[in-house]
Each structure stands twice: as C-alpha cells, then as structure tokens.
Amino acid sequence: MTLLVNNISFSYPKKDVINNIAFSLRQGDYLAVLGTNGAGKSTLLKCLNKILKPQSGVVYINGIDSSRLKGPELAKNIAYVPQSHDCSKKTVFDSILLGRKPYIKWDVTQRDIDIVENVLKLLNLENYSMRYTNELSGGELQKVIIARALVQEPKVLLMDEPTSNLDLKNQIEVLKTIKYIVNERKISAIVAMHDLNLALRFANKFLLLKEGEVFDFGDATILNSELIKNVYDIDVAIEEFSGIPVVIPI
C-alpha cells in the first residue's frame, strides 16, 4: 500500500471543508479527485502534503505516519504541484534542479544533473532549459513546475488542476506523461481535476467529493450518469469512442 488516508478532516473557523475522507492507493494507481468548485479537492491535497494540518485523521505513506516526516524526508515521499506558483527569474534548468534539494548534501552531483536532463526531455523542455521562467507562457511554466516535482522522485505525486493553463495538445501530453511515470516508476499520483473526460482517459481510480465528503470511490465502473447527476447536478450520457468513455452533457 503506497498511501492510506484514514478519516482526515479539516475546517476553518466556522467552516468545515473536508470531513472523514478515507481511501487507499497502491503503486501504479492514478487517482482523479473530482467534484464541483468548493467540494474540498484543493484542501484535501494540501492536507496530504502537510501544507494544512488536519484536525483529525492520519495519512500513511508506505506504512509511515506522514506527520512524522520532516522537511527533506517528506519531500522525498510526496511532491506537490499547486494551482498557482511564482515565476521569479531563474533559468528553467535551475528551477527544475530545485526539486533535487532534498537529496543535495554538499553540492549538486552528476546524478542530479542527469535526472533533471531526463525530465526536461520527458516533458519536451530541452529547448527551454536556459530560458528564464519569467519569460515563459503560463502553459510552459506549468510544465516546468511539474518537472520540478518529478525530479523529487516521490512515492506520491499530488497535482492540483495541472492542466488548467495548458492547451489541448499539452493537456494530453502532460497527463499521458504522468501516466507513463506512474506505471514506469510504480508511484501513485493524485490529480484534482474538473474535466471528467480527461479523468476517464487517464486515471484508473476516482474519488468523488461532494460538500467535503466522499460521495464515492472506486474504478471507472462507478462513473455512471446517475452518479454524475448526483454530484454535478447535470444530466449526461456516457458513450464510448474508440474504446474511450466520453461524458456528454444533455
């Protein structure tokens, strides 16, 4: 078991955000976290990464209580790609190299450089390596932030709407790359998403949140028109095209 989330809850003063969230993932699982705006998707990811401290519940990574993991050890286990990020003036290479910080003791090693170069190639960023991040488009910068998370070599990769600034081609490219890495490196990925069709195309597990609670959790068989109506309050049909399920609003 890579990740076990055991009944975590979080609230702000006078506002409950998530309540008793529980699920588990194994190596190679690609989880799409789905739900309407305000359902608690971003808060859940921040609780998993200890950006926010749950009022109750425990998160285990490979059997270890994540609350006991500090600084570099946490970063070696969980990498997080937020919705927004800074674009201070660094080269793309140096910005991605920052993801190796948990592993660097005295100086950057050849292995650190090799890992960065491999990820640059994986995300088709080789030609951008010496450009400054504050000169990039929103989509290009998003890929750099994803690359920084990948070079951490985490056991669990958390991504909060990673395709929000990407065009259609880059959305497919990035999510396909994440799926490849999940399968190749046997890690787990948790991706908060709005696009049900992208979720169905790439994820193998689905967590549906409604009003801060788990409405359903499972594989693609749980995603039917009745469930989507209950969560999103919209009628849909689900058809198959070239072996891929497609959600069509009615």
Side-chain angles (χ1 to χ4, degrees):
M1 193 74 67
T2 304
L3 184 75
L4 175 63
V5 178
N6 188 9
N7 295 325
I8 64 170
S9 300
F10 179 83
S11 61
Y12 293 107
K14 300 182 180 180
K15 181 176 175 59
D16 293 335
V17 184
I18 57 173
N19 185 42
N20 288 330
I21 304 294
F23 63 93
S24 62
L25 295 178
R26 297 185 181 277
Q27 291 178 335
D29 278 338
Y30 193 147
L31 174 70
V33 181
L34 303 168
T36 59
N37 292 330
K41 300 187 296 296
S42 296
T43 299
L44 171 61
L45 264 60
K46 289 177 181 177
C47 286
L48 297 180
N49 197 37
K50 291 178 62 176
I51 295 171
L52 297 175
K53 183 179 180 181
Q55 274 85 25
S56 61
V58 185
V59 177
Y60 296 98
I61 303 171
N62 284 348
I64 300 172
D65 182 346
S66 66
S67 67
R68 298 182 179 180
L69 297 174
K70 308 298 181 184
E73 285 306 309
L74 181 67
K76 290 177 183 179
N77 282 275
I78 296 182
Y80 173 62
V81 178
Q83 283 189 39
S84 57
H85 32 73
D86 71 83
C87 56
S88 55
K89 189 175 181 179
K90 300 183 187 72
T91 66
V92 166
F93 190 95
D94 286 343
S95 184
I96 296 172
L97 184 62
L98 284 174
R100 296 297 300 166
K101 187 177 179 181
Y103 299 90
I104 297 172
K105 295 181 178 179
W106 300 105
D107 201 357
V108 174
T109 66
Q110 186 59 48
R111 183 171 187 272
D112 296 318
I113 293 171
D114 290 344
I115 288 171
V116 172
E117 289 179 343
N118 287 337
V119 171
L120 281 166
K121 183 177 181 180
L122 192 64
L123 290 177
N124 294 318
L125 289 170
E126 304 106 303
N127 294 334
Y128 294 84
S129 62
M130 290 299 106
R131 286 181 58 181
Y132 288 103
T133 52
N134 63 334
E135 298 172 351
L136 302 179
S137 69
E140 291 163 348
L141 181 61
Q142 183 77 333
K143 291 175 75 173
V144 171
I145 303 304
I146 292 169
R148 183 192 298 171
L150 292 178
V151 301
Q152 287 178 227
E153 300 183 298
K155 295 180 178 66
V156 181
L157 177 63
L158 308 176
M159 309 180 78
D160 195 353
E161 298 185 35
T163 60
S164 59
N165 292 318
L166 302 179
D167 58 40
L168 182 58
K169 178 184 176 182
N170 280 309
Q171 288 178 23
I172 300 297
E173 181 182 300
V174 165
L175 293 179
K176 185 185 292 185
T177 300
I178 299 305
K179 186 171 184 176
Y180 170 80
I181 290 167
V182 165
N183 292 332
E184 184 73 12
R185 300 184 182 177
K186 302 302 180 187
I187 67 172
S188 301
I190 301 176
V191 184
M193 305 177 70
H194 281 297
D195 193 317
L196 292 172
N197 287 315
L198 287 176
L200 277 166
R201 184 166 184 149
F202 293 102
N204 72 313
K205 292 291 178 67
F206 304 86
L207 179 71
L208 280 293
L209 297 182
K210 184 175 182 180
E211 297 177 356
E213 297 187 350
V214 175
F215 190 84
D216 209 345
F217 170 71
D219 61 20
T221 60
I222 70 170
L223 280 177
N224 54 50
S225 55
E226 181 181 357
L227 178 142
I228 293 171
K229 170 68 173 179
N230 285 330
V231 173
Y232 291 92
D233 193 26
I234 186 172
D235 292 310
V236 301
I238 301 178
E239 304 291 343
E240 196 167 289
F241 180 78
S242 297
I244 300 172
V246 179
V247 178
I248 306 167
I250 298 174

